[in-house]
Coordinates of all heavy atoms in Angstrom, one line a residue:
M1 N 111.0 101.4 121.9 CA 111.8 100.5 121.0 C 110.8 99.7 120.1 O 109.8 99.2 120.6 CB 112.6 99.5 121.8 CG 113.7 98.9 121.1 SD 114.6 97.7 122.1 CE 115.4 98.8 123.3
P2 N 110.9 99.7 118.8 CA 110.0 99.1 117.9 C 110.0 97.6 118.1 O 111.1 97.0 118.2 CB 110.4 99.5 116.5 CG 111.8 99.9 116.7 CD 112.0 100.3 118.0
L3 N 108.9 96.9 118.1 CA 108.8 95.5 118.2 C 108.3 94.9 117.0 O 107.4 95.4 116.3 CB 107.9 95.1 119.4 CG 108.4 95.3 120.8 CD1 107.3 95.0 121.8 CD2 109.6 94.4 121.1
I4 N 108.8 93.7 116.7 CA 108.4 93.0 115.5 C 108.0 91.6 115.9 O 108.5 91.2 117.0 CB 109.4 92.9 114.4 CG1 110.7 92.4 114.9 CG2 109.6 94.3 113.7 CD1 111.6 91.7 113.9
S5 N 107.2 90.8 115.2 CA 107.0 89.4 115.6 C 107.9 88.5 114.9 O 108.2 88.7 113.7 CB 105.5 89.1 115.4 OG 105.2 89.2 114.0
C6 N 108.4 87.6 115.6 CA 109.4 86.6 115.2 C 108.8 85.8 114.0 O 107.7 85.4 114.1 CB 109.9 85.7 116.3 SG 110.8 84.3 115.8
P7 N 109.4 85.7 112.8 CA 108.9 84.9 111.8 C 108.7 83.4 112.0 O 107.9 82.7 111.3 CB 109.9 85.1 110.6 CG 111.2 85.4 111.3 CD 110.8 86.2 112.5
V8 N 109.3 82.9 113.1 CA 109.2 81.5 113.4 C 108.2 81.2 114.5 O 107.3 80.4 114.2 CB 110.6 80.9 113.8 CG1 110.5 79.5 114.2 CG2 111.6 81.1 112.7
C9 N 108.3 81.9 115.6 CA 107.3 81.6 116.7 C 106.4 82.7 117.0 O 105.5 82.6 117.9 CB 108.1 81.3 118.0 SG 109.1 82.7 118.6
E10 N 106.5 83.9 116.3 CA 105.6 85.0 116.4 C 105.6 85.6 117.8 O 104.8 86.4 118.2 CB 104.1 84.7 116.0 CG 104.1 84.7 114.5 CD 102.9 84.1 113.9 OE1 101.9 83.9 114.6 OE2 102.9 84.0 112.7
H11 N 106.7 85.4 118.5 CA 107.0 86.1 119.8 C 107.4 87.5 119.4 O 108.1 87.8 118.5 CB 108.1 85.3 120.4 CG 108.4 85.8 121.8 ND1 107.8 85.3 123.0 CD2 109.4 86.7 122.3 CE1 108.4 85.9 124.0 NE2 109.3 86.7 123.6
Q12 N 107.0 88.5 120.3 CA 107.4 89.9 120.1 C 108.8 90.1 120.4 O 109.3 89.8 121.5 CB 106.5 90.8 121.0 CG 105.0 90.9 120.6 CD 104.9 91.5 119.2 OE1 105.2 92.7 119.0 NE2 104.4 90.7 118.2
V13 N 109.6 90.5 119.4 CA 111.1 90.7 119.6 C 111.4 92.1 119.2 O 110.8 92.7 118.3 CB 111.8 89.7 118.6 CG1 113.3 89.6 119.0 CG2 111.2 88.4 118.6
S14 N 112.4 92.6 119.9 CA 112.9 94.0 119.6 C 113.5 93.9 118.2 O 114.2 92.9 117.8 CB 114.0 94.4 120.6 OG 114.8 95.4 120.0
K15 N 113.3 95.0 117.4 CA 113.9 95.1 116.1 C 115.4 94.9 116.1 O 116.0 94.5 115.1 CB 113.5 96.5 115.4 CG 112.9 96.3 114.0 CD 112.4 97.6 113.5 CE 112.1 97.5 112.1 NZ 111.5 98.8 111.6
R16 N 116.0 95.4 117.2 CA 117.5 95.4 117.3 C 118.0 94.1 117.8 O 119.3 94.0 117.9 CB 117.9 96.6 118.1 CG 117.7 97.9 117.3 CD 117.7 99.1 118.2 NE 119.0 99.3 118.8 CZ 119.3 100.2 119.7 NH1 118.3 101.0 120.2 NH2 120.4 100.4 120.2
A17 N 117.1 93.2 118.2 CA 117.6 91.9 118.7 C 118.3 91.1 117.7 O 117.9 91.0 116.5 CB 116.5 91.1 119.3
H18 N 119.5 90.4 118.1 CA 120.2 89.6 117.1 C 119.7 88.2 117.0 O 120.0 87.5 116.1 CB 121.7 89.6 117.5 CG 122.3 91.0 117.3 ND1 122.4 91.6 116.1 CD2 122.8 91.9 118.2 CE1 123.0 92.8 116.3 NE2 123.2 93.0 117.5
A19 N 118.9 87.8 118.0 CA 118.3 86.5 118.0 C 117.0 86.5 118.8 O 116.8 87.3 119.7 CB 119.2 85.5 118.6
C20 N 116.0 85.7 118.4 CA 114.7 85.7 119.1 C 115.0 85.0 120.5 O 115.5 84.0 120.6 CB 113.7 84.8 118.3 SG 112.2 84.5 119.2
P21 N 114.5 85.7 121.6 CA 114.7 85.1 122.9 C 113.9 84.0 123.2 O 114.1 83.2 124.1 CB 114.3 86.3 123.9 CG 113.5 87.2 123.1 CD 113.8 87.0 121.6
S22 N 112.8 83.7 122.4 CA 111.9 82.6 122.6 C 112.4 81.4 121.9 O 112.5 80.3 122.5 CB 110.5 83.0 122.2 OG 109.6 81.9 122.3
C23 N 112.7 81.4 120.6 CA 113.0 80.2 119.8 C 114.5 80.2 119.3 O 114.9 79.3 118.8 CB 112.1 80.0 118.6 SG 112.3 81.3 117.3
G24 N 115.2 81.4 119.5 CA 116.6 81.5 119.1 C 116.8 81.7 117.7 O 118.0 81.6 117.2
E25 N 115.8 82.0 116.9 CA 115.9 82.4 115.5 C 116.9 83.5 115.3 O 116.7 84.6 115.9 CB 114.5 82.8 114.9 CG 114.5 83.3 113.5 CD 114.9 82.4 112.4 OE1 114.9 81.2 112.7 OE2 115.1 82.8 111.3
P26 N 117.9 83.3 114.6 CA 118.9 84.4 114.5 C 118.4 85.6 113.6 O 117.8 85.3 112.6 CB 120.2 83.8 113.8 CG 119.6 82.5 113.2 CD 118.4 82.2 113.9
D27 N 118.6 86.8 114.1 CA 118.3 88.0 113.4 C 116.9 88.1 112.8 O 116.7 88.1 111.6 CB 119.3 88.2 112.2 CG 119.6 89.7 111.9 OD1 119.0 90.5 112.6 OD2 120.5 90.0 111.1
P28 N 115.8 88.0 113.7 CA 114.5 88.0 113.2 C 114.0 89.2 112.4 O 113.1 89.1 111.5 CB 113.6 87.9 114.5 CG 114.5 88.1 115.6 CD 115.9 88.0 115.1
S29 N 114.7 90.4 112.5 CA 114.3 91.5 111.7 C 114.7 91.4 110.2 O 114.2 92.1 109.4 CB 114.9 92.8 112.3 OG 116.2 92.8 112.3
R30 N 115.7 90.6 110.0 CA 116.2 90.4 108.7 C 115.1 89.9 107.7 O 115.0 90.2 106.6 CB 117.4 89.5 108.7 CG 118.3 89.7 107.4 CD 119.5 88.7 107.5 NE 119.1 87.4 107.8 CZ 119.8 86.4 108.3 NH1 121.1 86.7 108.5 NH2 119.4 85.2 108.6
H31 N 114.3 88.9 108.3 CA 113.2 88.4 107.5 C 112.2 89.4 107.0 O 111.8 89.4 105.9 CB 112.5 87.3 108.4 CG 113.3 86.1 108.7 ND1 113.3 85.0 107.9 CD2 114.2 85.9 109.6 CE1 114.1 84.1 108.3 NE2 114.7 84.6 109.4
H32 N 112.0 90.4 107.9 CA 111.0 91.5 107.6 C 111.6 92.3 106.5 O 110.9 92.7 105.6 CB 110.7 92.3 108.9 CG 109.8 91.5 109.8 ND1 108.5 91.9 109.8 CD2 110.0 90.6 110.6 CE1 107.9 91.1 110.7 NE2 108.8 90.3 111.2
T33 N 112.9 92.6 106.6 CA 113.5 93.4 105.5 C 113.4 92.7 104.2 O 113.1 93.3 103.2 CB 115.0 93.6 105.8 OG1 115.1 93.9 107.2 CG2 115.6 94.7 105.0
K34 N 113.6 91.4 104.2 CA 113.5 90.6 103.0 C 112.1 90.6 102.5 O 111.9 90.8 101.3 CB 113.9 89.1 103.3 CG 114.8 88.5 102.2 CD 115.0 87.0 102.6 CE 116.4 86.7 102.9 NZ 116.6 85.3 103.3
I35 N 111.1 90.5 103.3 CA 109.7 90.5 102.9 C 109.3 91.9 102.4 O 108.7 91.9 101.3 CB 108.8 90.1 104.1 CG1 108.9 88.6 104.4 CG2 107.3 90.4 103.8 CD1 108.4 88.2 105.7
S36 N 109.7 93.0 103.0 CA 109.3 94.3 102.5 C 110.0 94.6 101.1 O 109.5 95.2 100.3 CB 109.7 95.4 103.5 OG 111.1 95.4 103.7
W37 N 111.2 94.0 101.0 CA 111.9 94.1 99.7 C 111.1 93.4 98.6 O 110.9 93.9 97.5 CB 113.3 93.5 99.8 CG 114.1 93.6 98.6 CD1 114.9 94.7 98.2 CD2 114.3 92.5 97.6 NE1 115.5 94.4 97.0 CE2 115.2 93.1 96.6 CE3 113.8 91.3 97.4 CZ2 115.5 92.4 95.5 CZ3 114.2 90.5 96.3 CH2 115.1 91.1 95.3
L38 N 110.5 92.2 99.0 CA 109.7 91.5 98.0 C 108.4 92.2 97.7 O 108.0 92.2 96.6 CB 109.4 90.1 98.6 CG 110.4 89.0 98.4 CD1 110.0 87.7 99.1 CD2 110.6 88.7 96.9
I39 N 107.8 92.9 98.8 CA 106.6 93.7 98.6 C 106.9 94.8 97.6 O 106.1 95.1 96.8 CB 106.0 94.1 100.0 CG1 105.5 92.9 100.7 CG2 105.0 95.2 99.8 CD1 105.2 93.1 102.2
N40 N 108.1 95.5 97.8 CA 108.5 96.6 97.0 C 108.6 96.1 95.5 O 108.2 96.7 94.6 CB 109.8 97.2 97.4 CG 109.6 98.1 98.6 OD1 108.5 98.5 98.9 ND2 110.7 98.4 99.3
L41 N 109.2 94.9 95.4 CA 109.4 94.4 94.0 C 108.0 94.0 93.4 O 107.8 94.3 92.2 CB 110.2 93.0 94.2 CG 110.7 92.5 92.8 CD1 111.8 93.4 92.2 CD2 111.3 91.1 93.0
F42 N 107.1 93.5 94.2 CA 105.8 93.2 93.7 C 105.1 94.5 93.3 O 104.5 94.5 92.2 CB 105.0 92.6 94.9 CG 103.5 92.5 94.6 CD1 103.1 91.4 93.8 CD2 102.6 93.3 95.2 CE1 101.7 91.3 93.5 CE2 101.2 93.2 95.0 CZ 100.8 92.2 94.1
W43 N 105.1 95.6 94.1 CA 104.5 96.8 93.7 C 105.2 97.4 92.4 O 104.5 98.0 91.6 CB 104.5 97.8 94.9 CG 103.4 97.5 95.8 CD1 103.6 97.1 97.1 CD2 102.0 97.5 95.6 NE1 102.3 96.8 97.7 CE2 101.4 97.1 96.7 CE3 101.3 97.9 94.5 CZ2 100.0 97.0 96.8 CZ3 99.9 97.7 94.6 CH2 99.2 97.4 95.7
L44 N 106.5 97.2 92.4 CA 107.2 97.7 91.2 C 106.6 97.0 89.9 O 106.4 97.7 88.9 CB 108.7 97.5 91.3 CG 109.6 98.1 90.3 CD1 109.7 99.6 90.4 CD2 110.9 97.5 90.3
C45 N 106.4 95.7 90.0 CA 105.8 94.9 88.9 C 104.4 95.4 88.6 O 104.0 95.5 87.4 CB 105.8 93.4 89.2 SG 107.5 92.7 89.2
V46 N 103.6 95.6 89.7 CA 102.2 96.1 89.4 C 102.3 97.5 88.7 O 101.6 97.6 87.7 CB 101.5 96.2 90.8 CG1 100.2 96.9 90.7 CG2 101.3 94.8 91.4
V47 N 103.1 98.3 89.2 CA 103.1 99.7 88.6 C 103.6 99.6 87.2 O 103.1 100.2 86.2 CB 104.0 100.6 89.4 CG1 104.4 101.9 88.7 CG2 103.4 100.9 90.8
L48 N 104.7 98.7 86.9 CA 105.2 98.6 85.6 C 104.1 98.0 84.7 O 104.0 98.3 83.5 CB 106.4 97.7 85.6 CG 107.7 98.4 85.9 CD1 108.8 97.3 86.0 CD2 108.1 99.4 84.8
G49 N 103.3 97.0 85.2 CA 102.2 96.3 84.4 C 101.2 97.3 84.1 O 100.8 97.4 82.9
I50 N 100.8 98.2 85.0 CA 99.8 99.2 84.8 C 100.3 100.2 83.8 O 99.6 100.5 82.8 CB 99.3 99.9 86.1 CG1 98.6 98.9 87.0 CG2 98.5 101.1 85.8 CD1 98.3 99.4 88.4
G51 N 101.6 100.6 83.9 CA 102.2 101.5 83.0 C 102.2 101.0 81.6 O 101.9 101.7 80.6
L52 N 102.6 99.7 81.5 CA 102.6 99.1 80.2 C 101.3 99.0 79.5 O 101.1 99.2 78.3 CB 103.3 97.6 80.3 CG 104.8 97.6 80.1 CD1 105.3 96.2 80.5 CD2 105.2 98.0 78.7
T53 N 100.3 98.6 80.4 CA 98.9 98.6 79.9 C 98.4 99.9 79.3 O 97.9 100.0 78.2 CB 98.0 98.0 81.0 OG1 98.5 96.8 81.6 CG2 96.6 97.7 80.5
I54 N 98.7 100.9 80.1 CA 98.3 102.3 79.7 C 99.0 102.7 78.4 O 98.4 103.2 77.5 CB 98.5 103.3 80.8 CG1 97.6 103.1 82.0 CG2 98.5 104.7 80.3 CD1 97.9 103.8 83.3
W55 N 100.3 102.3 78.4 CA 101.1 102.6 77.2 C 100.5 101.9 76.0 O 100.3 102.5 74.9 CB 102.5 102.1 77.4 CG 103.5 102.4 76.3 CD1 103.9 101.4 75.4 CD2 104.1 103.6 75.9 NE1 104.7 102.0 74.5 CE2 104.9 103.3 74.8 CE3 104.1 104.9 76.5 CZ2 105.7 104.3 74.2 CZ3 104.9 105.9 75.9 CH2 105.6 105.6 74.8
N56 N 100.2 100.6 76.2 CA 99.6 99.8 75.0 C 98.2 100.3 74.6 O 97.8 100.1 73.4 CB 99.5 98.3 75.5 CG 100.9 97.7 75.4 OD1 101.7 98.1 74.6 ND2 101.0 96.6 76.2
V57 N 97.5 100.9 75.5 CA 96.1 101.4 75.2 C 96.2 102.8 74.6 O 95.6 103.2 73.7 CB 95.2 101.3 76.4 CG1 93.9 102.0 76.2 CG2 95.0 99.9 76.8
A58 N 97.1 103.6 75.3 CA 97.1 105.1 75.0 C 97.8 105.3 73.7 O 97.3 106.2 72.9 CB 97.8 105.9 76.1
V59 N 98.9 104.6 73.4 CA 99.7 104.9 72.2 C 98.9 104.6 70.9 O 98.8 105.5 70.0 CB 101.0 104.1 72.2 CG1 101.7 104.1 70.8 CG2 102.0 104.8 73.2
P60 N 98.2 103.5 70.8 CA 97.3 103.2 69.6 C 96.2 104.3 69.5 O 95.8 104.7 68.3 CB 96.7 101.8 69.8 CG 97.6 101.2 70.8 CD 98.2 102.2 71.6
M61 N 95.6 104.8 70.6 CA 94.6 105.8 70.6 C 95.1 107.1 70.1 O 94.5 107.7 69.2 CB 94.1 106.0 72.0 CG 92.9 105.2 72.3 SD 92.5 105.2 74.1 CE 91.8 106.9 74.2
V62 N 96.3 107.4 70.5 CA 97.0 108.7 69.9 C 97.3 108.6 68.5 O 97.1 109.5 67.7 CB 98.2 109.0 70.8 CG1 99.0 110.2 70.2 CG2 97.9 109.3 72.3
M63 N 97.8 107.4 68.1 CA 98.2 107.1 66.7 C 96.9 107.3 65.8 O 97.0 107.7 64.7 CB 98.8 105.7 66.6 CG 100.1 105.6 67.2 SD 101.4 106.6 66.5 CE 102.5 105.4 65.9
D64 N 95.8 106.7 66.4 CA 94.5 106.7 65.7 C 94.1 108.2 65.5 O 93.6 108.5 64.4 CB 93.4 106.1 66.6 CG 92.8 104.8 65.9 OD1 93.6 104.2 65.1 OD2 91.7 104.5 66.2
M65 N 94.2 109.0 66.5 CA 93.9 110.4 66.4 C 94.6 111.1 65.3 O 94.1 111.9 64.6 CB 94.1 111.1 67.7 CG 92.9 111.0 68.7 SD 93.4 111.3 70.4 CE 93.9 113.0 70.3
F66 N 95.9 110.8 65.2 CA 96.8 111.5 64.2 C 96.5 110.9 62.8 O 96.7 111.7 61.8 CB 98.2 111.3 64.6 CG 98.7 112.3 65.6 CD1 98.9 111.9 66.9 CD2 98.8 113.7 65.3 CE1 99.3 112.8 67.9 CE2 99.2 114.6 66.3 CZ 99.4 114.2 67.6
N67 N 96.1 109.7 62.7 CA 95.9 109.1 61.4 C 94.6 109.5 60.8 O 94.3 109.2 59.6 CB 96.0 107.6 61.5 CG 97.4 107.1 61.7 OD1 98.4 107.8 61.2 ND2 97.6 106.0 62.3
R68 N 93.7 110.1 61.6 CA 92.4 110.4 61.0 C 92.4 111.7 60.2 O 93.2 112.6 60.5 CB 91.4 110.6 62.2 CG 90.2 109.6 62.1 CD 89.4 109.6 63.3 NE 89.6 108.3 64.0 CZ 89.1 108.1 65.3 NH1 88.5 109.0 65.9 NH2 89.3 106.9 65.8
Ligands
ZN1 ZN1 111.1 83.2 117.7

């Protein structure tokens, strides 16, 4: 059974537990889902930022090549 650490008391809790047995935090795994969602959003922003940077650098370079 996968274990996660409780976001409040860091007690090892089953992923399927509805409440932390140590501090009573309801649904400790939900916090992790929220955090991973934020991490995904963060990476999406990073990828988009890199993509936009490449776009901004590559397009003028290609335009330059055609204008010569
Ligand atoms: Zn707890």
Side-chain angles (χ1 to χ4, degrees):
M1 203 185 287
L3 287 173
I4 51 153
S5 59
C6 170
V8 178
C9 66
E10 282 169 9
H11 184 88
Q12 292 292 296
V13 193
S14 161
K15 225 176 173 178
R16 288 161 67 186
H18 293 295
C20 173
S22 179
C23 70
E25 170 70 11
D27 214 355
S29 65
R30 199 181 49 199
H31 291 266
H32 284 259
T33 316
K34 222 186 246 176
I35 289 165
S36 63
W37 182 81
L38 277 173
I39 290 168
N40 282 343
L41 192 72
F42 169 77
W43 280 114
L44 188 73
C45 288
V46 169
V47 167
L48 275 175
I50 292 169
L52 270 173
T53 309
I54 290 169
W55 180 260
N56 283 333
V57 171
V59 168
M61 267 168 71
V62 171
M63 294 296 243
D64 242 31
M65 272 161 63
F66 279 107
N67 285 335
R68 237 170 253 170

